[in-house]
Amino acid sequence: MTETAPRPTLEAVAARAGVSRATVSRVVNGGQGVREPLVERVRRAVEELGYVPNQAARSLVTKRHDAVAVVIAEPETRVFADPFFALQLRGISKELTAHDSQLVLLLTGGRADHARVGRYLAGGHVDGALVFSLHFDDPLPELAQRAGVPTVFGGRPGWGEGTRSAVYVDSDNRGGARDAVRHLVGLGRGRVAHITGALGQTSAVDRLDGFRDVMVDVDPRLIVEGDFTPAGGERAMRLLLERCPDLDAVFAANDLTASGALRVLRAQGRRVPEDVAVVGFDDMLPVAEQTDPPLTTIRQDIEEMGRLMASLLFRALERRGGGSYRDAGSGVGGGPSSVVLPTTLVRRASA
Amino acid sequence: MTETAPRPTLEAVAARAGVSRATVSRVVNGGQGVREPLVERVRRAVEELGYVPNQAARSLVTKRHDAVAVVIAEPETRVFADPFFALQLRGISKELTAHDSQLVLLLTGGRADHARVGRYLAGGHVDGALVFSLHFDDPLPELAQRAGVPTVFGGRPGWGEGTRSAVYVDSDNRGGARDAVRHLVGLGRGRVAHITGALGQTSAVDRLDGFRDVMVDVDPRLIVEGDFTPAGGERAMRLLLERCPDLDAVFAANDLTASGALRVLRAQGRRVPEDVAVVGFDDMLPVAEQTDPPLTTIRQDIEEMGRLMASLLFRALERRGGGSYRDAGSGVGGGPSSVVLPTTLVRRASA
């Protein structure tokens, strides 16, 4: 604990500036209707005393917090192990800094903590929320909706009452997956396998759908579920090689999964791309460049997705008018629309 | 934006439960002085309507937020690149979950954002703050003090008005460094170099002091400043080999620095430990086990440091009494004391 001097009060500021409490309060909350010389005197007194307005009281008046919550629906161990989140946060952080809004990252130990996250969102601490890495049965969209907090999602939420009119930013996962598999087929590969992402998330389901769009009537043993991690990629690759030793290509649901698959292929003496061609998804650097061999992959602009999520949120908040973000409706009619960003194939050595 | 139904009001709950507004308010804020059957009726109405109390108004009464801020005084790129922070957050998160308190991570793009962090801390959104990775001239301790928010620091803050009575959790950095250097001397090494950490932080200064405690009258060219990163370790190691090609040991201020130094030593054909023995600091896994050769290092329990910081904060908050955390003084007299955890030498192959 640091030793604290008593906090200067509104009264102390009023006394120092020689004005009424009401005048100080008006200045602190924006200064409307106060003459400039008085505003100046109050500001000087605030400065000299180091007065910090009681934000809880203040926000009852202004309804603004200059803070945005970011909720990542994953345990913090995954948040810190997967560079995807750091990239998205970097994009969000840039946009928030430009708006002088505080990034408030709400960490969750797991699903059991989501009710607590919902309470914080409802608690009048933030102007809006950016929520990503949702799973199908996740209570967060409903909690955010109940909290009355404007929310933009990272990735399409695919279910539930609360998400029908949700605004989200996503990549063209299905189209990107089609490009990946078409590239492999174009190389003359006929036994193309797919290691999926965590199938509780729309991004994984959409990439699987894209795979199936091209590989109609595929041998079902060529599809194995992964979980977007290198360890999941290793497990799935081992299983695939046992089941289908004749496979000649793999489309992995993300680059981390592909990095695990490549390790197993090398350990089992399969040459990449000669024996087995491999394509990932993300173009996550430095991962995609540092695999052996460097990874052919589908690029999505993760940092830009984060920036765009924040930008859509601010646009919605601005439409409601500066002083009363949380009072207005929730962006119904004329609010910002969801955005789906295109993907591109990046060719390196693995396919 | 998700489409939101109008938020149920206190009045709606009162009407549904057939009680007065004041009764609902009392129940929502703890239920003192309300008869049990009435409490039950109100709770049921709250549940049925999905009523969420306006926390900003509520917290003016209860002065509690059930949330703790974590402030890491580093740009988010470093926060996500250095596993040190993930480990400390894991420890903090465990303790917060046990207290059903929300972990609110305040990210800062850099020093320029610290005033905004100070405003959020002062804004009545959290019960307390855990602040780590401070630098000597950092305004955060003073901002936290001004905000009147009970604060525990990770690492000893070494300067400034606001930090004289600060409560902190630290490792015995100086003692650990002495053990590292004594181990190298005990192996018969006479030209022991030191790559420091970022010398704007007490942990780096304390480790340098420990190095000097043993290497009295050391050749000053054997000390090169690093920055706790692998890239910094590489730069410093190159400089050391240019300046002092006869060095036979290196004490690196942390394991990431050591990993960079090991890469340069290998690239320049120096055998470890035969030609140059290397000791790190942290015992950061998997880094320390996966270097080539595996790293002899000084172990500190980073996760436990995080857990302990949170635990000290809760102890201080509890002493103030459940309902009025932020009203009481700041832990003066009988409050929790700072803790310095011991370190241990872990021998692997590099020294």
Side-chain angles (χ1 to χ4, degrees):
Chain A
M1 250 31 37
T2 52
E3 218 171 302
T4 55
R7 223 169 120 155
T9 60
L10 191 71
E11 287 74 14
V13 175
R16 180 108 172 190
V19 301
S20 69
R21 279 182 92 263
T23 300
V24 174
S25 174
R26 275 203 298 276
V27 172
V28 164
N29 290 310
Q32 287 96 338
V34 182
R35 285 180 301 119
E36 190 48 44
L38 283 190
V39 170
E40 198 36 56
R41 255 157 69 189
V42 171
R43 290 226 171 106
R44 209 162 41 231
V46 163
E47 182 102 343
E48 285 163 6
L49 295 174
Y51 172 72
V52 180
N54 181 328
Q55 206 88 10
R58 189 180 159 215
S59 73
L60 282 176
V61 179
T62 66
K63 316 271 184 190
R64 278 193 51 177
H65 310 283
D66 292 322
V68 168
V70 174
V71 185
I72 307 178
E74 300 278 357
E76 80 271 6
T77 42
R78 255 219 75 200
V79 173
F80 279 87
D82 190 336
F84 184 91
F85 301 113
L87 276 171
Q88 216 156 26
L89 279 169
R90 194 187 304 172
I92 291 170
S93 177
K94 278 184 187 163
E95 191 71 15
L96 262 61
T97 298
H99 284 79
D100 201 23
S101 188
Q102 179 60 44
L103 197 166
V104 174
L105 180 59
L106 301 182
L107 284 188
T108 71
R111 172 102 21 132
D113 296 337
H114 288 183
R116 192 175 60 230
V117 169
R119 283 202 300 278
Y120 199 80
L121 290 179
H125 303 301
V126 293
D127 298 320
L130 304 172
V131 176
F132 51 90
S133 204
L134 281 173
H135 300 73
F136 278 107
D137 51 349
D138 202 296
L140 272 170
E142 212 192 315
L143 289 168
Q145 187 187 21
R146 269 208 198 181
V149 176
T151 302
V152 174
F153 295 92
R156 175 175 55 84
W159 69 106
E161 284 303 308
T163 61
R164 255 192 253 127
S165 57
V167 173
Y168 60 85
V169 174
D170 206 351
S171 286
D172 181 7
N173 290 304
R174 188 164 182 163
R178 277 197 298 254
D179 289 345
V181 182
R182 277 194 200 117
H183 174 68
L184 291 167
V185 171
L187 296 173
R189 308 295 164 128
R191 293 283 284 166
V192 182
H194 179 38
I195 304 176
T196 75
L199 288 175
Q201 302 187 285
T202 56
S203 57
V205 172
D206 290 352
R207 291 173 203 175
L208 173 57
D209 285 345
F211 173 81
R212 286 179 178 287
D213 287 344
V214 182
M215 303 299 290
V216 186
D217 295 327
V218 67
D219 176 350
R221 292 173 309 163
L222 283 169
I223 299 174
V224 173
E225 187 169 352
D227 58 5
F228 287 132
T229 72
E234 289 182 9
R235 273 193 304 274
M237 193 68 239
R238 269 188 224 104
L239 187 58
L240 279 170
L241 287 172
E242 267 171 46
R243 281 187 187 174
C244 311
D246 62 335
L247 63 83
D248 56 13
V250 178
F251 166 49
N254 72 347
D255 292 348
L256 293 180
T257 298
S259 73
L262 285 171
R263 269 198 294 276
V264 169
L265 287 166
R266 193 169 50 246
Q268 302 207 8
R270 306 287 184 117
R271 291 168 308 159
V272 176
E274 295 83 351
D275 303 327
V276 181
V278 177
V279 178
F281 201 109
D282 276 346
D283 196 30
M284 177 81 71
L285 300 182
V287 177
E289 285 177 346
Q290 291 180 355
T291 52
D292 180 16
L295 193 63
T296 294
T297 188
I298 301 296
R299 171 158 220 274
Q300 60 173 340
D301 192 338
I302 300 166
E303 184 174 332
E304 172 63 12
M305 287 172 74
R307 204 200 54 72
L308 206 52
M309 284 170 72
S311 161
L312 288 180
L313 184 64
F314 283 118
R315 210 180 303 163
L317 294 174
E318 275 150 23
R319 282 188 59 253
R320 302 169 167 218
S324 56
Y325 285 173
R326 308 185 68 248
D327 265 4
S330 283
V332 184
S337 306
S338 296
V339 177
V340 177
L341 296 170
T343 59
T344 48
L345 179 76
V346 177
R347 282 206 69 175
R348 296 197 183 88
S350 70
Chain B
M1 254 24 44
T2 52
E3 216 171 302
T4 56
R7 225 169 120 153
T9 59
L10 192 71
E11 287 74 14
V13 175
R16 180 109 173 188
V19 301
S20 70
R21 279 182 90 262
T23 300
V24 174
S25 175
R26 275 203 299 276
V27 171
V28 163
N29 291 311
Q32 288 97 336
V34 183
R35 284 179 302 118
E36 189 48 44
L38 283 190
V39 170
E40 198 36 56
R41 256 157 67 190
V42 171
R43 292 225 171 107
R44 209 160 44 229
V46 162
E47 182 103 343
E48 285 163 7
L49 294 173
Y51 172 72
V52 180
N54 182 329
Q55 205 88 10
R58 190 181 158 213
S59 74
L60 282 176
V61 179
T62 66
K63 317 272 183 188
R64 276 192 51 176
H65 310 283
D66 292 322
V68 168
V70 175
V71 185
I72 307 179
E74 301 278 356
E76 80 271 8
T77 42
R78 255 218 75 199
V79 172
F80 280 86
D82 189 336
F84 184 91
F85 301 112
L87 276 170
Q88 216 157 26
L89 278 168
R90 194 187 305 172
I92 291 169
S93 177
K94 279 184 186 163
E95 190 71 16
L96 263 61
T97 299
H99 284 79
D100 201 22
S101 187
Q102 178 60 45
L103 197 166
V104 174
L105 180 59
L106 301 181
L107 284 187
T108 71
R111 172 102 20 134
D113 296 338
H114 288 183
R116 192 175 60 231
V117 169
R119 284 202 300 279
Y120 199 79
L121 290 180
H125 304 300
V126 293
D127 298 320
L130 303 173
V131 177
F132 52 89
S133 203
L134 280 174
H135 301 73
F136 278 107
D137 52 348
D138 201 297
L140 273 170
E142 211 192 314
L143 290 168
Q145 187 188 20
R146 269 206 197 183
V149 176
T151 302
V152 174
F153 294 92
R156 175 175 56 83
W159 69 103
E161 283 303 308
T163 61
R164 255 192 252 126
S165 58
V167 173
Y168 60 84
V169 174
D170 206 351
S171 286
D172 181 7
N173 289 304
R174 188 165 181 163
R178 277 197 297 255
D179 289 345
V181 183
R182 277 194 200 117
H183 175 68
L184 290 166
V185 171
L187 295 173
R189 307 296 164 128
R191 293 283 284 168
V192 182
H194 179 38
I195 305 176
T196 74
L199 288 174
Q201 301 187 287
T202 57
S203 56
V205 172
D206 290 352
R207 289 171 204 178
L208 173 57
D209 285 344
F211 173 80
R212 285 180 178 288
D213 287 343
V214 182
M215 304 299 290
V216 186
D217 296 326
V218 67
D219 177 349
R221 292 173 309 164
L222 283 168
I223 300 174
V224 173
E225 187 169 354
D227 58 4
F228 288 132
T229 71
E234 289 183 9
R235 273 193 304 274
M237 194 68 239
R238 270 189 223 104
L239 187 58
L240 279 170
L241 287 172
E242 265 173 47
R243 281 188 188 173
C244 311
D246 61 334
L247 64 83
D248 57 12
V250 178
F251 166 49
N254 71 345
D255 292 348
L256 293 180
T257 298
S259 74
L262 285 171
R263 270 198 295 274
V264 170
L265 287 167
R266 193 168 51 248
Q268 302 207 8
R270 307 287 183 118
R271 292 168 306 160
V272 177
E274 294 83 351
D275 303 327
V276 181
V278 177
V279 178
F281 201 109
D282 276 347
D283 195 30
M284 177 81 70
L285 299 182
V287 177
E289 286 177 345
Q290 290 180 355
T291 53
D292 179 17
L295 193 64
T296 294
T297 190
I298 301 296
R299 173 159 219 274
Q300 60 173 341
D301 192 338
I302 301 166
E303 185 174 332
E304 172 63 13
M305 288 173 73
R307 204 200 53 72
L308 205 52
M309 284 171 71
S311 162
L312 288 180
L313 183 64
F314 283 119
R315 211 181 301 163
L317 294 174
E318 275 150 22
R319 283 188 58 254
R320 301 169 168 219
S324 55
Y325 283 175
R326 307 186 67 249
D327 265 4
S330 283
V332 185
S337 306
S338 295
V339 177
V340 177
L341 296 170
T343 60
T344 47
L345 179 76
V346 176
R347 282 206 69 175
R348 295 197 183 87
S350 70

